[in-house]
Structures are given as structure tokens and as C-alpha cells.
Amino acid sequence: MRSERARRAGVAGLLAMGSTLMAFNASAQPAGPATNATAAAAAVDNAPLKARVVQGVQQRQKLAQVINDTLFSYGELAFQEVESSRYLTALLEEHGFTVQRGVAGMPTAWVARWGQGKPVIALGSDIDALPRASQKPGVAYREPLVADAPGHGEGHNSGQAVNIVAALALKDLMEREKLPGTLVLWPGVAEELLAGKPFMVRDGVFNGVDVVLYNHVSNNLRTIWGQADGTGMVSVEYTFKGRSAHSALLPWRGRSALDAVELMNAGWNYRREHLRPEQRSHYVISNGGDQPNVVPDTASVWYFLREMDFENITENAAINHRIAEAAAAMTDTTVSRTIVGAAAPRHFNKPVAEAMQRNIEQVGLPAWTADEQTFAKAVQTLVSSKPDGLNLKHAALSAPSSPARSGGSDDIGDVSWVVPTVTLYYPSNIPNVPSHHWASAIAMATPIAHKGVVAGAKVTAMTAVDLLTNPGLVQQADQYFKGVQLKAQQYVPLIGKDDKPQVRMNQQTMERFRPEMRKHYYDASKFDTYLEQLGVKFPQLVKPASKE
């Protein structure tokens, strides 16, 4: 009973904040037997349609490379994906999609639609980059394109290439075969801040959608079902207001907002021992004052508070809020809080994941060349990892961990609680390389990324064909969503009705770096690939000697 009261208090506190035709890998393993829940879905013979859509993807591998490389060259931070969104929406309109821009209060968010009727299939992927991750691709050494600038140090430049190429192949097929259905494409804005998708969910972007096929860059081809390993979270910034004074002459006249920040952090660090071991929490002091001889009248601290389920996320958030209020009381300051973002725990749809896995088994991993393997091992050695090279076998579909293991977060979790959702992980990056790191940008505009995008697009398109041609699969997805997922746990929104996307975040950083970054934008009209434009002869393992 105490835990339930704490959960309700936590939720209330959060909401009150105001704030080659079937070019499949011959070595792929056959799919395992379908479960009873999906036997009917697996029985539909749509192989000829899948063969056509795979051919449509294959014919667009050049477009996939251009999209991938173009977005890589933009390297835009969360909420500032201006060039990326402009390019993608123009491309989709050129191919007959109707685009709505600025959705859910985010200037760089959009929704593109084509077709009519059911099923409505939404294809999503993220587009933002990371701070200080600028890196020349295709070279096995550290070399930023622009020093200290952002870059795609995870690989979010590739996912929209997967979706757009798949969608265009599907569009051709649907027109030819007169298949009813609606394709909806959308970007994950500000995913690196976990600050976009909850607002899209709240504002109804996914209303009427039957299934979401989301994707994320990886080093293998795989999907999962059930509660994913990892956490949900709340991202909140606390701002303390005090009174400035001369730190040497009249310090007693001051009320230090920075003291409040430091006391809050001390309080939280002491409390950690008495939280569940599954929690993950971290903070940065986003504003610590101006200079030491002025008592800071304003200071801010930004927290990520992660836990495994809605109850514990909201309970930890409520504890954190109380500690902030206590720190303000101790220092005679005031405190306000702003929700920056949130992410629900992820739960993925079993029938759709099983259908996707059957398509993964057919497509298999790309055939990597000796040069690509040599390059991957060189990058792994560069970051002091085991030089295993690129994966040679796709992952099997396995049951979720029981219990789920703690770890990172993704705001696709919120989407997964309002519509049946799966995530496809596709092999465009290198194993054993740290994510959120410049080294994870090295492969992302190379043949490794290009091949992985095409493989991902094939699986995505084939899974969409399953949904378009088999109403039973859509029904099974809905039954699992309502009868299994929502039976075990109900969605608790972690943002309130008055919270707003923090769209000014990263604006100054991009204004600082964009002029120099613009000099490196990919010009596909002049160069076959971005590597060609940069003068990189892949695989480039050793830095050329300076000509000076």
C-alpha cells in the first residue's frame, strides 16, 4: 500500500510540473516453428510479393547510400536537426508523400503519409547526432571533420535511409498490386536527449496507427519481443534562484544557488544506497554561476533518473523532487523544475517480432568483403577492443530476460505503450566499439553502413508486406498488445499536459559549429560517395604523412 501511494504521488508530482530478385543469404538458418499465436499469420503465401519488394529495395541501394551519407555530413544535435528534416521532407514530397511539419511543438519533427485505408503502418527512426563526435568516416584513426563539433557517433544518420528505401519499394508494390494501406514515416527527434517521442505520443501522432516498425542502428541483424533490457526514465532540470553578493566583501548578503545545487547532489548521492540496485541516475551541473567572486544567484542541475517500471521511475522522481525542495530550504533559495524528456520502459510486440525474425532469417547478414573485415578489426584495435571483425551470423529471436536487466533507455518506449511496436536492429556499425563516441562514427558513411542499411530496408519492407497482406497478423499484434502487454502493466505518461519540448536546447552549439560543418556537407551531384568527396580511399588504415 505504501508503494502504491508513493507511485501515485510520484505521477501526480510529474504531471503537476507544468512543464537480384530474392537476394537472400544462402547460409541463413531456416525460421523456427511458428507459435500457435502466429501460425495463421505465418501461413499466408506472400513470397512473390516479398520478392518484388526486395527487388525494389535492391534497385534503390544508390538512394540508400546518398541518404545515409547526406545525413552523416549534417551531424545535427537534438532539436536542431534542421538540415536533416528539410532534406528528408523534400525527398518524401518529391516521391508523392504528404508531409506535415512541426508536429508536437517541435520544428524539426514531421509526419509523412502515403496511401489510404488499413492497415496503417508507421516507420520510424532517429535523426540526431551527439556532441563532440565529429569524425572523418572510413579512416581507422581519430580525425574530426571539425574539431569539437557534433557528429553521428552512434549512427542515427542511417535509419531514415532504411525506412525511405523500404517505403518507396512498398509504394511501388502497393500501386502495382492495388493493396490498401497507409504508410506513415516519422523521425525520432532529440532521441539522444530522450525528449521527442513522448510529446509525439501525447499529442496524438500515433492515433489510428496499427503497427510501428521502428529501427535502430546496430552491428547485427536482430529483433526482440517483450520487455526489453534497459530502463525507463525522467529527464529533469532543477534551477535554483538565490541572491548575488560580493564573495569576499559581503558574502553573508548572498544566497548561493550553487550551494543549493551541491547540497541537492550530496543528498541524492547519499540516498542512492537506499534505492533499488536496478536504478541508474546521473547529473551534470548545467549552470554553476559566472565567476568565483560573485555569489551565484542562479544555478541549475540536470538529472536523468532511470528505473525498470513506471512505479519505480515515478517514485524515484518524487524522492528527487523532495531533495531539491530540501536543498532550497537549507539555502534560503527557491527551486523550479523543467521536464526535459522522458522514456517509458520498452515493450515490443511478439507476433510482429516473430514475423520480422522470419524475414531476418531469409535476408541474412550482408556478405562482407576482406577490406571491410580488415577495416573493422583496425577500428576495434584502435579503441582497445577485441578485433573480432564484423558479425557473420544474424542473431536468433530469444525470449526476453526474466527479469529484464537494467541499462540504457530509448523513448520508443512511449510509442510501444500506445501501439504495437517492434524494433529492427540492422548491421551498419562495427561490434566492440563504444557507442556515444566518435569511434562509432567511423563506419557510418562507409560500405559497411551502406550494406547494413539495404539489409535493414529489405527486412522492413518484407515485414510491412506481411502486415499488408495478412489481416490475421495485425489482429494477432493487437491481441498481444491488449491481452498480454497492457494486462501486465498500464502506460503511465511521464510528462504532463503543460510540459513543452525544450526546442532551444543545442541551438547555440549548432550556431557555433554549423558554418564550419557546412563546408563538409555531402554534394551527391558531384561525388559518388561521401568518402570520395573527402578523399578517403577505403579502407584507410594509416594516417597519411603531412605534406607540410
Side-chain angles (χ1 to χ4, degrees):
M1 185 66 70
R2 184 202 65 79
S3 179
E4 176 63 13
R5 285 198 300 269
R7 185 189 73 81
R8 291 176 180 172
V11 174
L14 286 168
L15 295 179
M17 286 181 187
S19 18
T20 329
L21 200 52
M22 292 282 280
F24 300 146
N25 190 327
S27 65
Q29 297 296 315
T35 65
N36 290 336
T38 58
V44 173
D45 182 11
N46 53 19
L49 299 181
K50 288 185 179 181
R52 288 177 187 166
V53 82
V54 165
Q55 186 179 42
V57 169
Q58 194 72 32
Q59 290 169 344
R60 292 175 171 86
Q61 49 184 331
K62 174 60 180 176
L63 176 60
Q65 172 259 309
V66 171
I67 297 171
N68 179 89
D69 290 6
T70 299
L71 295 192
F72 182 92
S73 73
Y74 293 155
E76 297 172 299
L77 291 173
F79 288 125
Q80 307 304 317
E81 310 98 336
V82 178
E83 302 282 6
S84 300
S85 287
R86 182 185 295 123
Y87 167 76
L88 293 168
T89 54
L91 179 64
L92 286 162
E93 285 177 328
E94 178 186 335
H95 285 88
F97 282 73
T98 300
V99 177
Q100 178 187 0
R101 295 172 171 83
V103 301
M106 294 177 286
T108 55
W110 45 268
V111 175
R113 296 177 181 271
W114 180 87
Q116 57 183 350
K118 292 284 193 174
V120 180
I121 305 169
L123 311 180
S125 192
D126 305 321
I127 58 174
D128 56 331
L130 285 158
R132 300 179 185 273
S134 178
Q135 170 65 35
K136 181 182 285 189
V139 301
Y141 47 85
R142 175 64 164 138
E143 185 171 330
L145 286 166
V146 177
D148 296 325
H152 276 290
E154 183 164 357
H156 286 178
N157 60 295
S158 56
Q160 288 296 327
V162 170
N163 287 341
I164 291 175
V165 167
L168 295 182
L170 287 162
K171 178 174 176 286
D172 283 356
L173 179 72
M174 293 166 71
E175 288 175 326
R176 185 187 303 117
E177 303 295 329
K178 296 181 171 45
L179 294 175
T182 304
L183 302 178
V184 180
L185 277 71
W186 55 277
V189 167
E191 190 278 336
E192 300 294 5
L193 297 181
L194 301 162
K197 299 183 192 74
F199 295 98
M200 298 177 79
V201 168
R202 185 192 65 184
D203 291 1
V205 168
F206 300 97
N207 291 353
V209 172
D210 292 297
V211 174
V212 168
L213 302 180
Y214 176 69
N215 69 54
H216 197 280
V217 63
S218 181
N219 55 61
N220 208 336
L221 196 57
R222 64 187 180 94
T223 190
I224 56 178
W225 66 271
Q227 182 173 350
D229 289 340
T231 55
M233 57 84 71
V234 173
S235 169
V236 55
E237 185 175 47
Y238 298 88
T239 297
F240 293 86
K241 295 286 188 179
R243 188 167 65 208
S244 64
H246 194 298
S247 299
L249 294 178
L250 297 167
W252 53 89
R253 297 286 298 271
R255 299 291 180 265
S256 174
L258 181 58
D259 286 353
V261 163
E262 292 186 301
L263 284 166
M264 178 184 179
N265 294 341
W268 183 256
N269 288 332
Y270 275 105
R271 186 60 183 262
R272 285 180 202 263
E273 181 184 0
H274 310 291
L275 301 176
R276 290 176 6 124
E278 292 85 354
Q279 74 87 27
R280 301 287 188 272
S281 54
H282 11 270
Y283 56 82
V284 294
I285 297 175
S286 47
N287 176 12
D290 298 309
Q291 58 190 57
N293 64 337
V294 178
V295 174
D297 63 352
T298 303
S300 301
V301 59
W302 181 14
Y303 271 80
F304 275 22
L305 304 165
R306 307 184 197 249
E307 248 285 4
M308 299 297 294
D309 53 37
F310 293 110
E311 177 179 346
N312 284 292
I313 296 165
T314 53
E315 185 167 357
N316 282 6
I319 293 169
N320 200 242
H321 302 337
R322 292 196 298 272
I323 290 174
E325 296 286 356
M330 285 189 285
T331 53
D332 284 333
T333 60
T334 60
V335 63
S336 61
R337 53 189 180 244
T338 300
I339 290 286
V340 176
R346 293 163 291 166
H347 192 117
F348 296 124
N349 193 268
K350 184 178 182 181
V352 180
E354 289 178 331
M356 180 172 279
Q357 182 68 25
R358 288 190 288 272
N359 295 319
I360 288 172
E361 302 282 353
Q362 288 186 286
V363 172
L365 285 173
W368 307 116
T369 66
D371 279 348
E372 289 156 1
Q373 288 285 15
T374 297
F375 182 72
K377 292 175 183 179
V379 174
Q380 289 164 339
T381 300
L382 173 68
V383 296
S384 302
S385 292
K386 190 175 180 181
D388 292 330
L390 300 168
N391 283 307
L392 298 176
K393 188 180 187 310
H394 62 75
L397 181 66
S398 58
S401 304
S402 183
R405 294 185 291 263
S406 186
S409 312
D410 191 321
D411 55 4
I412 190 61
D414 288 78
V415 180
S416 75
W417 287 97
V418 297
V419 59
T421 300
V422 294
T423 293
L424 170 69
Y425 299 91
Y426 56 93
S428 284
N429 219 321
I430 298 173
N432 306 335
V433 172
S435 61
H436 290 196
H437 188 271
W438 55 264
S440 281
I442 288 178
M444 288 312 304
T446 72
I448 294 170
H450 303 152
K451 288 181 175 181
V453 163
V454 171
K458 288 177 181 178
V459 174
T460 298
M462 292 168 70
T463 307
V465 169
D466 286 328
L467 295 165
L468 289 167
T469 59
N470 188 354
L473 177 57
V474 178
Q475 183 181 14
Q476 300 281 357
D478 185 65
Q479 289 172 346
Y480 177 89
F481 178 68
K482 293 175 180 176
V484 178
Q485 180 179 345
L486 296 184
K487 183 178 180 180
Q489 190 170 180
Q490 291 291 314
Y491 178 47
V492 178
L494 298 171
I495 59 171
K497 62 182 179 61
D498 297 321
D499 293 318
K500 294 180 173 29
Q502 300 300 300
V503 297
R504 294 189 181 276
M505 293 186 74
N506 294 319
Q507 184 175 348
Q508 291 183 346
T509 302
M510 286 307 304
E511 287 174 352
R512 173 188 172 194
F513 287 109
R514 199 186 296 276
E516 191 65 25
M517 293 171 67
R518 189 173 284 117
K519 299 175 184 178
H520 300 277
Y521 286 176
Y522 176 41
D523 187 346
S525 68
K526 295 181 180 179
F527 300 95
D528 187 39
T529 67
Y530 194 42
L531 294 185
E532 180 186 348
Q533 179 172 324
L534 296 175
V536 174
K537 297 188 181 302
F538 182 84
Q540 195 159 305
L541 307 182
V542 179
K543 190 170 186 176
S546 174
K547 295 180 181 180
E548 296 181 4

